[in-house]
Amino acid sequence: MIPEPSGTTSIDPHWWRQAVVYQVYPRSFADSNADGLGDLPGITGRVQYLRSLSVDAVWLSPFYPSALADGGYDVDNYRDVDPRLGTLADFDALVAALHDVGIRIFVDIVPNHSSDRHEWFRAALDAAPGSAERERYIFRDGRGDHGELPPNDWPGHFGPSSWTRTTGPDGTPGQWYLHLFAPEQPDLNWDNPEVHADFITTLRFWADRGVDGFRVDAAHLLKKDLSEPYRPVETISEVSRYPTDGSHPLLDRDEVHDIYRTWRSVFDEYSPPRVAVAEAGAPPSRRGRYASAEELGQAFNFELLEAQWDARDFRETIETCLATARASDSSSTWTLSNHDVVRVASRFGLPNGTDLNQWLLSAGTEPVADAARGLRRARAAMMLMLALPGSAYLFQGEELGLPEVPDLPPEVLRDPIWLRDAGARKGRDGCRVPLPWAADGPSFGFGANGAHLPMPAWFGDYAVDKQDGAGGSTLELYRAALRTRRALQSTESLEWHEGPDDVVWFSRDNGWHSFTNFGLEPAALPAGEVLLSSAALHGQQVPGETTVWFRV
Ligand code: GLC
């Protein structure tokens, strides 16, 4: 049984509602065998570090066998560990080590697509059109006299088309298959009961190994309307956009919820029930269904992550997200960073409204990010987020104040967004550069050798060993904030207080206040016992771009 963080051994079935979940991107966390890729034993070796953060759970991005065509979100085998990252025994050891210190574990389930190296897809390619093997995916004949044109004009998230044509062993072109992401990620056919059954087996496989929760990748995409005639892309808008009524042929269809109701019955077979969080690109009005107690229980909201540095934007975002979560009787999820976006310390160092892709394409030169300002705001935003009711998701390295690496040279970029879009979008590699654990060494303590993405010389300034125990460091601020949150967390209520225009001020029901000054001018600090501040206070003044927690 997992010891509760409080030291008791009773399991609270609602532990997830206000949990802090730390996202580990395994190949960039810690490399135990000097091959340049982070691995599971590397994570196990850092469990004390995770414990020192006082996080409630760790979410592992995919660690399954994969060609890494999309950073592991192209899964060859859902019930195994990539040999470069370890073994199932290493996974069990990691679960045991985390549970020993009271940290729970989420794994990432990628149900929309497998990789093209999955044994099912290889069998499908070897089998004839119309065969049972092909029915596990979405194969269609092409248009044109010789089937040389894709079945329709639907674009993919990563590139020009969501269809790729197959080639037979003798080189003859054949049918086309659907992939909403990269060609190496063929979409599974969720109209096929065999696909449903296989994912239930996968969920049980990991739940039986002690996994506490699941992050469900692209949860809104599984069901598709492929009836003909296909709707031309102009009539359904871009594939990456969503309507609010479930009428889109590819996104957020109502039938997808049948899947998650079944998954819930599987989660509820366990004690305590396994939990889940949907990554669902659905508008707030439709997100609640994924997050309901009958389905996955929680759904990410990404609004805070998209919010500009602006008091009104933050407050409105928080109000919308809290209302959305309440409507489905779930709790809100908050996040400022993940493996798909520019790191928060860089985003907030750029003027509001900066086109982040253009910024990355300019290698971070236009405009130049104000690193000190970005870090100051990121620290303030983190404290604001951690004071909110609901769960908070942190991305590895955020606790170091790590900026984006915007100037990775083109030849090292691995993101299919870059590779498939002919260099029009730089992609997400810059937030996936391995963590600096030590101020020096070949890969700043990440491993004994190099790293799979180059780490810039300035990474050493952010190293764990430089910040560990250093008063005022971002790492120590995160630790103090997470400890304080754990001590003060109570019900999910929140009360707003009105301050100056540039201030976002609220309290929780036990007198815990969070006060963020988004402006540049100091704001008067209300009366109370100061608990923590993201920057030094000036007497009774809260300086600009600062959050202070106090107790009344
Ligand atoms: C999710 C993941 C992203 C991945 C995509 C396809 O959005 O977060 O990293 O590329 O799904 O699996």
Side-chain angles (χ1 to χ4, degrees):
M1 184 173 285
I2 309 168
E4 291 282 282
S6 60
T8 70
T9 50
S10 70
I11 300 276
D12 169 10
H14 299 298
W15 64 268
W16 50 274
R17 290 189 69 99
Q18 302 213 67
V20 175
V21 184
Y22 180 94
Q23 180 189 358
V24 169
Y25 195 69
R27 70 195 165 109
S28 297
F29 189 69
D31 171 17
S32 73
N33 62 357
D35 67 353
L37 273 189
D39 45 46
L40 299 186
I43 306 169
T44 307
R46 302 288 180 179
V47 163
Q48 287 310 320
Y49 175 77
L50 296 168
R51 183 188 200 183
S52 79
L53 293 174
S54 306
V55 294
D56 301 298
V58 161
W59 146 34
L60 297 187
S61 279
F63 50 83
Y64 316 112
S66 168
L68 300 179
D70 181 20
Y73 284 89
D74 45 318
V75 180
D76 297 351
N77 177 348
Y78 291 92
R79 301 191 282 272
D80 205 351
V81 174
D82 191 305
R84 290 167 297 179
L85 270 59
T87 61
L88 281 169
D90 292 329
F91 181 82
D92 294 340
L94 172 58
V95 174
L98 289 169
H99 283 175
D100 271 352
V101 298
I103 298 179
R104 294 186 168 88
I105 177 166
F106 282 69
V107 297
D108 220 311
I109 294 291
V110 189
N112 180 64
H113 42 266
S114 72
S115 90
D116 61 347
R117 308 195 314 173
H118 191 287
E119 61 171 14
W120 276 5
F121 194 71
R122 287 191 278 121
L125 290 182
D126 288 344
S131 59
E133 288 81 358
R134 289 215 168 176
E135 274 306 297
R136 295 168 178 148
Y137 293 90
I138 301 171
F139 282 88
R140 292 290 183 274
D141 293 331
R143 289 172 297 146
D145 291 344
H146 307 285
E148 71 279 12
L149 298 171
N152 61 39
D153 62 352
W154 294 344
H157 287 280
F158 291 161
S161 174
S162 54
W163 296 96
T164 289
R165 195 168 193 188
T166 59
T167 311
D170 59 354
T172 333
Q175 285 190 299
W176 297 71
Y177 66 90
L178 181 79
H179 52 85
L180 295 185
F181 294 91
E184 295 86 353
Q185 295 168 294
D187 280 41
L188 287 157
N189 174 15
W190 279 89
D191 290 336
N192 183 339
E194 209 184 339
V195 172
H196 287 254
D198 197 64
F199 272 88
I200 299 290
T201 305
T202 295
L203 294 175
R204 288 215 176 94
F205 179 86
W206 295 110
D208 289 344
R209 293 194 109 87
V211 161
D212 303 281
F214 299 94
R215 180 253 189 201
V216 183
D217 186 70
H220 58 308
L221 298 180
L222 278 46
K223 283 294 207 170
K224 284 129 190 156
D225 175 10
L226 285 155
S227 54
E228 296 183 42
Y230 300 113
R231 288 171 47 197
V233 73
E234 309 85 76
T235 70
I236 57 172
S237 73
E238 279 176 63
V239 168
S240 59
R241 306 213 69 81
Y242 45 70
T244 53
D245 60 0
S247 66
H248 195 292
L250 299 173
L251 308 181
D252 188 32
R253 297 190 59 78
D254 291 337
E255 307 90 87
V256 80
H257 297 288
D258 297 339
I259 300 171
Y260 301 127
R261 278 191 287 273
T262 309
W263 288 19
R264 169 52 55 193
S265 64
V266 175
F267 300 151
D268 287 350
E269 288 167 10
Y270 292 85
S271 174
R274 299 314 192 230
V275 305
V277 57
E279 189 217 22
S285 59
R286 292 180 55 89
R287 195 188 293 145
R289 298 178 70 186
Y290 297 88
S292 70
E294 294 73 43
E295 297 191 20
L296 295 172
Q298 256 189 341
F300 280 118
N301 66 59
F302 293 118
E303 282 83 358
L304 196 66
L305 183 149
E306 287 160 2
Q308 302 290 325
W309 181 258
D310 177 79
R312 180 178 300 195
D313 200 10
F314 262 67
R315 176 155 173 177
E316 286 175 2
T317 298
I318 293 165
E319 285 177 318
T320 310
C321 293
L322 288 176
T324 305
R326 255 195 315 274
S328 59
D329 204 21
S330 185
S331 57
S332 192
T333 65
W334 309 107
T335 183
L336 291 166
S337 282
N338 64 35
H339 66 295
D340 289 331
V341 296
V342 170
R343 281 189 176 275
V344 60
S346 295
R347 285 202 320 271
F348 284 151
L350 292 163
N352 280 347
T354 299
D355 178 331
L356 295 172
N357 180 52
Q358 284 305 324
W359 178 71
L360 288 173
L361 287 173
S362 78
T365 58
E366 288 169 50
V368 172
D370 180 335
R373 164 161 284 172
L375 182 58
R376 185 180 177 95
R377 289 175 170 181
R379 289 162 58 110
M382 170 278 287
M383 281 184 57
L384 184 161
M385 172 176 84
L386 289 181
L388 291 168
S391 61
Y393 282 75
L394 309 176
F395 178 49
Q396 66 176 43
E398 186 182 326
E399 76 280 15
L400 304 176
L402 209 58
E404 182 82 2
V405 183
D407 55 354
L408 288 171
E411 62 277 11
V412 306
L413 299 178
R414 291 289 169 268
D415 189 346
I417 288 185
W418 164 262
L419 300 171
R420 298 249 321 133
D421 224 358
R425 289 185 292 160
K426 184 108 182 239
R428 304 160 294 179
D429 291 301
C431 68
R432 300 173 177 180
V433 175
L435 288 194
W437 293 93
D440 2 74
S443 54
F444 300 103
F446 165 67
N449 259 314
H452 65 94
L453 282 170
M455 302 168 73
W458 51 263
F459 250 39
D461 298 343
Y462 293 85
V464 172
D465 71 353
K466 261 195 136 166
Q467 300 197 41
D468 194 18
S473 73
T474 301
L475 175 58
E476 291 304 337
L477 179 71
Y478 266 75
R479 285 178 173 152
L482 289 159
R483 263 196 318 271
T484 309
R485 171 187 163 106
R486 181 172 278 185
L488 294 181
Q489 191 82 271
S490 62
T491 72
E492 291 173 32
S493 67
L494 171 149
E495 185 184 344
W496 291 106
H497 300 275
E498 299 308 323
D501 282 353
D502 276 341
V503 164
V504 171
W505 176 15
F506 58 86
S507 63
R508 306 290 296 276
D509 65 357
N510 52 4
W512 171 22
H513 286 243
S514 176
F515 182 103
T516 304
N517 180 4
F518 281 80
L520 294 174
E521 295 305 314
L525 174 70
E529 174 206 353
V530 171
L531 302 169
L532 192 65
S533 178
S534 66
L537 299 179
H538 301 151
Q540 289 306 298
Q541 298 289 307
V542 182
E545 307 184 318
T546 300
T547 295
V548 58
W549 287 352
F550 58 90
R551 205 164 183 186
V552 178

